[in-house]
Amino acid sequence: MDTSYPPEDNLPALSRKQELSPTPLLPRDHLVWSVFNTIYMNFCCLGFVALAFSVKARDRKVAGDVEAAQRFSSKAKCYNVLATAGSLLLPLLLVALVVTGVVHLSKLAQESAGFFTYQFGSSDDEDN
């Protein structure tokens, strides 16, 4: 007596194609990232452009057009990366430029203070 459960002869026969075709993965639309870039770190309106592509990707995903949703999702991700990088790197670059400018000006001020505190001796006045 076979005690395996469920009996294999009562299982419905699945075709080979049904077994191998997994459900297609839907592309991400990056909508939250786009909203964040639009509201908080909108560098050259790249966050708004990313938001537009994110909405298009979500619309195409809901409509069932996976290929168009993937294209729009890819563009939204690219613009989000550019907006985030630009919004993080430009303030850091500005801080670096200000720090180097302050260091340079402090050295220049020290050198000019030394120039203006030069005292002329009495030997310079007695050339006659």
Side-chain angles (χ1 to χ4, degrees):
M1 177 171 178
D2 188 16
T3 59
S4 64
Y5 184 78
E8 294 174 2
D9 55 347
N10 293 340
L11 290 177
L14 296 175
S15 69
R16 178 97 171 131
K17 189 174 184 179
Q18 288 177 341
E19 291 175 5
L20 294 180
S21 64
T23 58
L25 295 175
L26 295 176
R28 297 178 61 185
D29 53 13
H30 307 289
L31 188 65
V32 175
W33 191 11
S34 299
V35 168
F36 180 76
N37 278 333
T38 300
I39 293 173
Y40 294 110
M41 300 187 313
N42 195 7
F43 170 70
C44 292
C45 297
L46 291 176
F48 182 73
V49 174
L51 180 64
F53 280 115
S54 294
V55 170
K56 285 182 180 183
R58 179 164 282 193
D59 289 345
R60 292 290 88 207
K61 185 167 62 172
V62 169
D65 189 2
V66 179
E67 291 84 16
Q70 181 64 39
R71 283 194 317 269
F72 289 133
S73 173
S74 174
K75 288 180 182 180
K77 183 179 179 181
C78 179
Y79 283 116
N80 276 323
V81 167
L82 289 174
T84 303
S87 296
L88 293 177
L89 291 179
L90 283 180
L92 291 176
L93 180 65
L94 182 65
V95 167
L97 287 174
V98 167
V99 167
T100 56
V102 166
V103 168
H104 178 70
L105 285 176
S106 68
K107 287 182 182 178
L108 186 64
Q110 287 175 356
E111 290 173 4
S112 20
F115 175 75
F116 288 118
T117 57
Y118 180 77
Q119 294 180 358
F120 295 100
S122 61
S123 63
D124 292 336
D125 292 334
E126 298 176 5
D127 288 339
N128 303 354

